[in-house]
Amino acid sequence: TQLLEQSPQFLSIQEGENLTVYCNSSSVFSSLQWYRQEPGEGPVLLVTVVTGGEVKKLKRLTFQFGDARKDSSLHITAAQPGDTGLYLCAGDTGNQFYFGTGTSLTVIP
Amino acid sequence: SQTIHQWPATLVQPVGSPLSLECTVEGTSNPNLYWYRQAAGRGLQLLFYSVGIGQISSEVPQNLSASRPQDRQFILSSKKLLLSDSGFYLCAWSVILYQETQYFGPGTRLLVL
């Protein structure tokens, strides 16, 4: 079983649409990160959230950390083909670091 | 600034052959180092981590081993590769073990035939 479950696993949308990716767990995390990975490359950090209820915006991307620090969401507004990639959440419990199961996003021009 | 390198980028090896993948980090001292394996389009499985020279911890039993001969060098090895060792191998480093951000290398794609 995975400590961090992401949904959906796969997502294919048209350019200009909005989408939300979820990262859920029954465990509490000290911090949570979101990464984006393109094929054949290593994951690149997008954001780190550390406070329950925290919302961070990065251009068209909005990240939210749940109040109880057990879950997070990534919302993309007006998706573009350049947003295509594998989105990974990751969290640390203070003594262990876990990666989510991943969401593969394809934005069709 | 810190950078992390991995090589080779791609490797095709026959079953039963040995393996050596190398990872080096620049611009930081005493980093925590990690080796992950990733199945296509999926999350990462932690294989090994190291908090210092010669200190290796294994997360899962497997056909692979790791070594850290220098502060900023991390090596993933195998004496005899299996078909199931195929995958995308990622090296990462962090300032604090298991906490906050990990920074990843470009990865090595290994195909065992």
Side-chain angles (χ1 to χ4, degrees):
Chain A
T1 58
Q2 289 279 348
L3 196 67
L4 280 168
E5 293 284 347
Q6 287 185 238
S7 61
Q9 182 178 345
F10 297 99
L11 187 56
S12 182
I13 62 171
Q14 294 289 330
E15 181 177 1
E17 292 183 350
N18 302 330
L19 67 114
T20 302
V21 176
Y22 299 93
C23 176
N24 296 303
S25 177
S26 57
S27 298
V28 175
F29 292 93
S30 303
S31 70
L32 196 140
Q33 293 82 43
W34 283 94
Y35 294 82
R36 184 171 75 204
Q37 183 180 22
E38 298 193 13
E41 299 181 10
V44 175
L45 179 70
L46 296 174
V47 77
T48 298
V49 286
V50 297
T51 305
E54 182 177 3
V55 177
K56 281 192 173 180
K57 292 192 175 183
L58 185 65
K59 296 183 180 179
R60 294 178 293 101
L61 278 61
T62 301
F63 305 86
Q64 185 164 8
F65 200 11
D67 291 340
R69 305 207 314 275
K70 293 182 179 181
D71 53 81
S72 181
S73 64
L74 159 60
H75 182 80
I76 301 179
T77 304
Q80 299 177 1
D83 296 326
T84 293
L86 179 68
Y87 289 81
L88 294 162
C89 65
D92 81 79
T93 60
N95 58 10
Q96 188 62 278
F97 197 82
Y98 298 92
F99 276 90
T101 49
T103 295
S104 180
L105 170 65
T106 301
V107 182
I108 303 167
Chain B
S1 63
Q2 300 85 10
T3 55
I4 179 168
H5 305 279
Q6 284 186 247
W7 63 89
T10 305
L11 191 59
V12 180
Q13 291 285 95
V15 169
S17 64
L19 173 74
S20 181
L21 303 182
E22 189 164 342
C23 170
T24 58
V25 180
E26 296 177 355
T28 187
S29 296
N30 197 32
N32 295 290
L33 297 172
Y34 311 83
W35 276 112
Y36 290 89
R37 180 167 56 204
Q38 184 179 31
R42 300 296 289 159
L44 282 66
Q45 179 189 32
L46 179 63
L47 302 176
F48 301 95
Y49 67 91
S50 171
V51 300
I53 296 173
Q55 300 179 66
I56 308 295
S57 297
S58 175
E59 287 295 302
V60 293
Q62 59 203 307
N63 183 45
L64 302 168
S65 62
S67 62
R68 187 168 175 176
Q70 300 180 45
D71 180 45
R72 289 170 286 181
Q73 184 185 30
F74 205 22
I75 297 172
L76 184 69
S77 305
S78 174
K79 292 182 180 178
K80 289 185 178 181
L81 283 169
L82 306 172
L83 287 173
S84 58
D85 292 324
S86 293
F88 191 50
Y89 289 84
L90 287 158
C91 181
W93 73 274
S94 70
V95 174
I96 302 173
L97 182 65
Y98 284 147
Q99 294 185 15
E100 298 196 1
T101 305
Q102 295 187 10
Y103 300 92
F104 287 85
T108 294
R109 183 157 307 281
L110 172 65
L111 180 60
V112 182
L113 300 175

